[in-house]
Every structure is written in structure tokens, then in C-alpha cells.
Amino acid sequence: MTEILGLHPRLVVEGADAALAFYTTAFGGEVLERYTGSDGRVVHSMVQVGPARFAVKDAGDGDAAPTGGGVPVIMSLSVSDADVVAERMLAAGATVIFEIADHGYGDYGGRLADPFGHQWMLSERIEQLDADQVQERLDAMQA
């Protein structure tokens, strides 16, 4: 059986660096990861606050920041087999937002929407990379 390895929310904001400063100050958090796109916007960061972790990213690439009372949160589900979980989700009525694929920065996965409008990012670690390697690969992908 496929094992669920972790779950954390991804907060989509306008001004991720300001949000990271807020979360580290307000919650005593620590930024564990921070990666940027070629335009300098944060495409992924991970904050640790006590035992809890959550991701923060700048709006863009199809992800909108909250407007009009909406609160977009992307659930990031770490799994041992992204294909199996995606197949189960699709069979239960989910739709594909981003196909399951090797993303080149150590993760294999994609994003699906459940029938209730929530987005689920499935992520299977296929390669152990350090932070510099991840950023180098993101830079190369966007060059």
C-alpha cells in the first residue's frame, strides 16, 4: 500500500519575502528552504514553527493570492508513490491541474483538484538534493 509521508499547507501570497519576515517574527519561525524563479519571486519556501511546517510562495503560475475573502491553500501531500495516489484520486473524481511528472529538482509528482475545489500537490522524493542543487536546477529549467 502507498504510504502517506507528510502533509503541509502552501500559503499563496503577494510578497512572499515580506510574509516570511512576518511568520518568522510573529511565530518565532525559521525559514528552512527558499527557492526563487528567474524573476526573483519565491516559488517555494518552507517555514518551521515549533513542530509545524508550512510552505509559502508568491502568487503566479496559476496560483492566486487571497482576494475577495478567498483563502487559497494548496495541500502538499508527500507520498511514497505519486502515480498510485493520483490514480486513486482520479478514480474518485479528481481532475488534473498539472500532470504527474519528474520535475527535475528531486521530486516526482503533480497537482490535482478534488471534487470540492481543493488542490492537492502530490510529491514523491526521487532524488536527494541539497538547497544549492535545487536552486541550480530551478535556474537551469527557467533559463
Side-chain angles (χ1 to χ4, degrees):
M1 172 135 200
T2 298
E3 183 180 355
I4 302 299
L5 303 173
L7 173 69
H8 65 268
R10 290 175 54 90
L11 305 179
V12 180
V13 301
E14 285 294 345
D17 285 325
L20 291 171
F22 171 81
Y23 297 131
T24 57
T25 300
F27 302 141
E30 176 185 2
V31 177
L32 302 177
E33 302 172 357
R34 181 185 173 280
Y35 304 111
T36 60
S38 58
D39 60 359
R41 294 175 63 80
V42 175
V43 296
H44 171 75
S45 65
M46 184 65 70
V47 178
Q48 174 112 21
V49 179
R53 289 185 178 199
F54 58 94
V56 177
K57 74 172 295 272
D58 274 307
D61 300 322
D63 301 327
T67 59
V71 183
V73 174
I74 303 162
M75 302 304 290
S76 293
L77 189 62
S78 299
V79 299
S80 59
D81 190 327
D83 289 319
V84 168
V85 176
E87 288 171 17
R88 288 195 321 230
M89 289 181 70
L90 290 168
T95 57
V96 173
I97 297 171
F98 297 115
E99 294 286 338
I100 303 294
D102 180 347
H103 293 284
Y105 48 77
D107 284 352
Y108 175 79
R111 192 181 313 175
L112 290 86
D114 68 25
F116 313 99
H118 296 286
Q119 295 185 18
W120 294 83
M121 179 183 294
L122 305 179
S123 180
E124 175 185 340
R125 182 60 42 113
I126 58 173
E127 188 176 5
Q128 294 298 324
L129 303 173
D130 65 30
D132 290 335
Q133 291 171 312
V134 172
Q135 187 64 58
E136 286 171 10
R137 290 192 182 180
L138 284 170
D139 292 345
M141 288 167 49
Q142 297 179 15

